Amino acid sequence: MQTVSHIKEMESLSSEFYLNKQTVAYVPTMGSLHEGHVRQIELAKRKAGKVIVSIFINPRQFGPNDEIIKYPSNLDIDLEICKKFEVDVVFTPKVNSMFSPDFSTYVVEEKLSNRLSGPTRAYFFKGYATVITMFLNIIRPDVLVLGQKDIHQTSIVKKVVKDLHFPVQTIVQPIVREADGLACATSNRFLDSQERIEAKKIYEALQRCKDLVAKGVTSPDRVLAEATHIITQSLKLRVVYISLVDPSTLEPVSVIVPKKTVLIISVWLGNTRLNDNITL
Ligand code: AMP
């Protein structure tokens, strides 16, 4: 496994792979790797000859009230995990090499970015779309592996790839969960044991709504009420939004289409924001 931190070095390695006709699958991460990332790496390995993982805590997707300094960083452990799962290249560029002091060019997706809680976090999607575009330019992968867990950012990147004609196939890893149903996430490590118990309500709500739809319920009101009912049984979960959307547009649906409509739940639990979703 190679660890590369210089952009020029990464670019020449990518050219080498291209000239040797080796296909490349790319997994973007912010590090602190967990089972969700591991399954993305495994998926990437099945899709291409070479797997590249980037580890980069992108300062441009944190807002003034987000605590970037608290974002965990465990590069040594991350590198061990990447090695164990046979990643070919780990790309760890430095912040100041990605963003020069006079950096002033951004990629802004203008439709999906305004859905759900987008308007209150415009910097987040702008920062994410911009940094992914930069990584696609540097790495030039054949396959881009994203996660269903972050359905909003994943949908935006798919749109950026389509609109800007990036020659890359985007594939999406289904949500990987802990034994108790909580979606694996870097932020889970901030939950204390009591919060961890409360957090189970999220998956309980998602599952219960999926069961309702399996029994023939297609009314969004009925399903949203059920999800809200279960989430609010916990006094500690504070709802940001509970929405039923069409996954391609992220627009609210007027009727639930089984196996297509997605129920998204976003809550605060203490100081931790938790996002989860399920295809009904
Ligand atoms: P992050 O390191 O949090 O920026 O996430 C990197 C990638 O991993 C994103 O595409 C996420 O959607 C994906 N991811 C994070 N958690 C999970 C999970 N539990 N299951 C599947 N993919 C995930």
Side-chain angles (χ1 to χ4, degrees):
M1 183 177 87
Q2 278 175 274
T3 305
V4 175
S5 57
H6 293 289
I7 293 173
K8 287 278 165 245
E9 197 186 336
M10 187 66 248
E11 284 171 343
S12 43
L13 205 51
S14 296
S15 298
E16 201 181 302
F17 291 149
Y18 178 76
L19 292 172
N20 291 336
K21 299 195 176 0
Q22 284 163 313
T23 52
V24 170
Y26 165 51
V27 183
T29 82
M30 296 215 291
S32 294
L33 303 183
H34 51 64
E35 192 57 29
H37 297 113
V38 166
R39 298 272 284 280
Q40 283 185 298
I41 292 169
E42 290 174 335
L43 178 59
K45 283 198 79 71
R46 293 197 293 277
K47 294 287 173 185
K50 296 281 178 192
V51 172
I52 300 178
V53 171
S54 65
I55 297 178
F56 182 69
I57 301 176
N58 173 22
R60 305 280 163 149
Q61 69 190 62
F62 287 82
N65 299 320
D66 298 339
E67 294 181 82
I68 186 170
I69 23 172
K70 278 205 188 152
Y71 200 89
S73 170
N74 300 301
L75 187 59
D76 291 344
I77 298 174
D78 288 345
L79 292 177
E80 270 175 40
I81 294 172
C82 287
K83 202 166 177 187
K84 180 170 169 203
F85 290 92
E86 299 174 346
V87 169
D88 297 282
V89 182
V90 182
F91 181 39
T92 58
K94 300 274 175 289
V95 171
N96 53 12
S97 65
M98 289 289 278
F99 298 106
S100 58
D102 65 343
F103 186 90
S104 60
T105 305
Y106 289 90
V107 174
V108 182
E109 190 288 325
E110 293 185 331
K111 273 193 184 149
L112 305 181
S113 305
N114 290 321
R115 308 274 181 252
L116 304 164
S117 61
T120 60
R121 300 170 82 210
Y123 61 86
F124 178 88
F125 296 113
K126 179 176 158 187
Y128 187 71
T130 302
V131 88
I132 291 289
T133 301
M134 293 161 81
F135 278 118
L136 289 177
N137 282 332
I138 296 165
I139 296 173
R140 285 169 286 135
D142 301 283
V143 180
L144 170 65
V145 186
L146 301 172
Q148 170 75 12
K149 155 110 179 14
D150 299 288
I151 184 173
H152 199 169
Q153 66 188 43
T154 290
S155 303
I156 290 169
V157 170
K158 278 176 155 177
K159 190 72 173 35
V160 169
V161 163
K162 178 173 174 276
D163 287 352
L164 300 186
H165 302 283
F166 276 103
V168 68
Q169 181 201 359
T170 306
I171 56 172
V172 180
Q173 164 66 43
I175 298 178
V176 181
R177 299 183 177 281
E178 312 254 4
D180 61 2
L182 183 63
C184 298
T186 303
S187 51
N188 292 355
R189 65 189 68 189
F190 298 128
L191 302 176
D192 63 31
S193 53
Q194 183 55 39
E195 288 173 334
R196 199 48 215 242
I197 293 169
E198 307 280 339
K200 284 199 243 176
K201 285 281 171 205
I202 302 168
Y203 189 54
E204 187 186 325
L206 294 172
Q207 274 294 343
R208 169 86 182 119
C209 292
K210 192 171 171 71
D211 290 348
L212 280 182
V213 173
K215 285 182 186 136
V217 175
T218 53
S219 153
D221 288 355
R222 173 78 184 84
V223 170
L224 288 173
E226 191 65 26
T228 308
H229 172 66
I230 295 172
I231 292 290
T232 52
Q233 284 167 1
S234 160
L235 294 177
K236 293 198 167 206
L237 293 176
R238 299 192 304 283
V239 176
V240 182
Y241 61 82
I242 299 177
S243 291
L244 285 165
V245 298
D246 177 322
S248 52
T249 61
L250 298 181
E251 288 200 47
V253 295
S254 53
V255 68
I256 292 172
V257 181
K259 302 201 187 325
K260 182 170 185 227
T261 302
V262 177
L263 171 61
I264 311 185
I265 295 180
S266 180
V267 296
W268 281 100
L269 178 51
N271 292 320
T272 306
R273 183 161 174 170
L274 299 173
N275 298 313
D276 205 340
N277 66 84
I278 200 164
T279 303
L280 295 173

